[in-house]
Amino acid sequence: MEENELSIVQEDAVVQIAYNLTVSGEEIESDTLEYLHGYGNIIPGLETGLAGLKVGENRKVHVAAEDAYGEYDQDQVIEVSRSAFPADFEIRMGEPMRLRDAAGHIFQGVATAVSEDTVELDLNHPMAGKDLDFDVTVLGVRPATEEELQHGHLHYGCSSCGSDGDCSDGCCG
Ligand code: ZN
């Protein structure tokens, strides 16, 4: 007899995991997460590493930087004019800041150098260039609903809808 397919991590399944994330030997995060498998909703290297696991199974998944948040990109370190910041804006070195460009886009950057006229901003993801080590246990697997498959992700209320354009109607009601 075939094994119950809904106990195995696979495409179109909603998977619940508990994980510990360690970077360079330092524990960064310990949490649980539910996601739709096969749609790129979690970092690719982790998704690949979880495929085929059964409920209750544990695996250590090493994800190289290129399969996580990408390699560190020196071109993402830019210099902007200090006058681009509001006069009363406190520029704190080394701390992620939420910034808004002239077109209104919100992005995150870290000031890495400040001079009288310019600010050097590192726009790389804080985890860029870093290998991630996950210790993951599969807590549950269930089939996705039609709606989840249509959207290619799970819904946790409006916040998950706003993030991409395919959820304009009906998804928050
Ligand atoms: Zn949606």
Side-chain angles (χ1 to χ4, degrees):
M1 195 181 129
E2 260 185 82
E3 212 163 349
N4 176 7
E5 61 174 25
L6 298 181
S7 67
I8 295 175
V9 176
Q10 61 191 282
E11 204 148 309
D12 297 345
V14 174
V15 182
Q16 200 187 10
I17 58 170
Y19 68 93
N20 288 303
L21 168 60
T22 306
V23 176
S24 311
E26 189 190 338
E27 189 175 302
I28 302 290
E29 203 171 62
S30 179
D31 209 347
T32 58
L33 170 76
E34 197 179 35
Y35 75 98
L36 178 58
H37 190 88
Y39 292 80
N41 291 319
I42 59 172
I43 59 171
L46 180 58
E47 189 164 52
T48 308
L50 288 170
L53 281 187
K54 298 191 189 94
V55 173
E57 236 182 319
N58 171 269
R59 182 177 285 173
K60 290 181 170 44
V61 181
H62 178 83
V63 184
E66 59 182 280
D67 295 318
Y69 293 100
E71 300 290 356
Y72 188 84
D73 183 0
Q74 195 60 44
D75 290 343
Q76 292 291 307
V77 181
I78 61 167
E79 205 159 80
V80 298
S81 165
R82 187 140 191 180
S83 61
F85 293 87
D88 59 350
F89 188 88
E90 189 190 348
I91 297 164
R92 276 176 290 190
M93 295 277 288
E95 273 182 45
M97 299 183 291
R98 277 167 67 82
L99 304 163
R100 191 159 38 121
D101 67 15
H105 298 121
I106 304 283
F107 61 98
Q108 207 176 68
V110 174
T112 45
V114 180
S115 76
E116 206 174 313
D117 301 321
T118 62
V119 180
E120 187 185 77
L121 287 178
D122 186 347
L123 305 183
N124 282 287
H125 189 281
M127 290 286 167
K130 294 183 175 165
D131 288 6
L132 311 182
D133 284 292
F134 290 95
D135 190 335
V136 195
T137 303
V138 178
L139 302 178
V141 179
R142 67 163 171 87
T145 65
E146 279 299 315
E147 194 199 16
E148 285 165 344
L149 292 176
Q150 262 174 23
H151 282 262
H153 55 237
L154 304 183
H155 288 155
Y156 298 104
C158 294
S159 59
S160 53
C161 309
S163 60
D164 55 62
D166 63 345
C167 305
S168 46
D169 288 301
C171 126
C172 299

